[in-house]
Amino acid sequence: TDQAGVPFVDRVVEFKKGPGGGFNEGKLPEIVLGPPHGTGATIGGSHVLSLGREGSITLEFVDNEVIDGEGVDLLIFENSIKPAPNNGAVDPGYDLAKVEVSADGLTWKTFAFDTGTRTGCAGHLPVYSNPETDEGRDLSPTDPKTAGGEGFDIAELGFKVVRFVRITDLGLSTLGGKTTQGFDLDAVAAVHSRARAAKK
């Protein structure tokens, strides 16, 4: 698990691998814990776990919890890329996923999403924050304006606090006519969080 108090998921509750998934499975759970390792707009990073087609992963914040604040409360990072400059309207391919959250791991709610516009989907925006590169070191992984990734506001689902996140590949990913390995999870960060009260 992560060090106490850091704003990232701490535990993998369950990993259901879909067809074509499993890249970096041997590095679980560490590969999806901690900060994102973004590589910018035109290079897909390899610090990820591939879920596979319609695969899913359930994650838990253990020592802290996501709380509702102003705007985005949760950031999810994949290794999506944008088309290179000046190459027209080339679609680089996206590994889209739906996102669910829960306060207790039992009752779940799903963020509304549209695969056509990619609104509400995870997996279509590049990641820039990276503690190991000169370009990404100064970009906070909890700043929605600079970190990259997709942001989610838990108030949209009526939550004040959540501790569990489930990401499920939508099975729509294609690149160059070939099915990809599905959603590639880099990291999950809480933009607004607090330490959990110690158990008595």
Side-chain angles (χ1 to χ4, degrees):
T1 60
D2 282 334
Q3 297 177 354
V6 296
F8 310 109
V9 288
D10 301 289
R11 186 169 81 92
V12 176
V13 177
E14 183 178 43
F15 173 42
K16 292 183 178 180
K17 180 172 59 177
F23 176 73
N24 278 334
E25 183 178 7
K27 297 181 180 180
L28 279 171
E30 288 79 10
I31 192 68
V32 295
L33 307 183
H37 290 70
T39 49
T42 58
I43 301 174
S46 60
H47 187 279
V48 294
L49 170 72
S50 296
L51 302 188
R53 190 174 182 84
E54 299 182 343
S56 70
I57 190 166
T58 304
L59 305 154
E60 179 184 5
F61 288 88
V62 175
D63 51 34
N64 56 343
E65 55 195 10
V66 184
I67 60 174
D68 180 37
E70 183 177 352
V72 169
D73 304 308
L74 187 70
L75 285 171
I76 295 180
F77 303 98
E78 210 245 5
N79 67 347
S80 178
I81 60 174
K82 288 185 176 180
N86 303 317
N87 70 343
V90 176
D91 187 343
Y94 298 106
D95 299 318
L96 300 180
K98 68 177 181 179
V99 178
E100 303 167 83
V101 291
S102 172
D104 57 9
L106 300 174
T107 302
W108 294 85
K109 292 184 180 181
T110 307
F111 284 98
F113 63 91
D114 183 323
T115 58
T117 63
R118 301 189 288 277
T119 302
C121 295
H124 61 96
L125 295 176
V127 178
Y128 301 98
S129 179
N130 187 332
E132 299 180 356
T133 66
D134 292 338
E135 296 83 1
R137 188 172 294 117
D138 294 329
L139 302 176
S140 170
T142 60
D143 184 349
K145 295 181 180 179
T146 60
E150 288 82 29
F152 297 85
D153 182 353
I154 64 174
E156 293 180 9
L157 300 180
F159 282 112
K160 293 293 186 183
V161 179
V162 301
R163 288 183 44 233
F164 296 86
V165 180
R166 180 181 294 146
I167 302 165
T168 303
D169 178 75
L170 290 171
L172 303 173
S173 307
T174 58
L175 184 62
K178 297 180 180 179
T179 301
T180 68
Q181 293 182 318
F183 186 91
D184 300 309
L185 178 63
D186 185 348
V188 177
V191 175
H192 300 118
S193 65
R194 68 186 179 196
R196 294 183 64 204
K199 293 183 180 180
K200 296 181 179 180

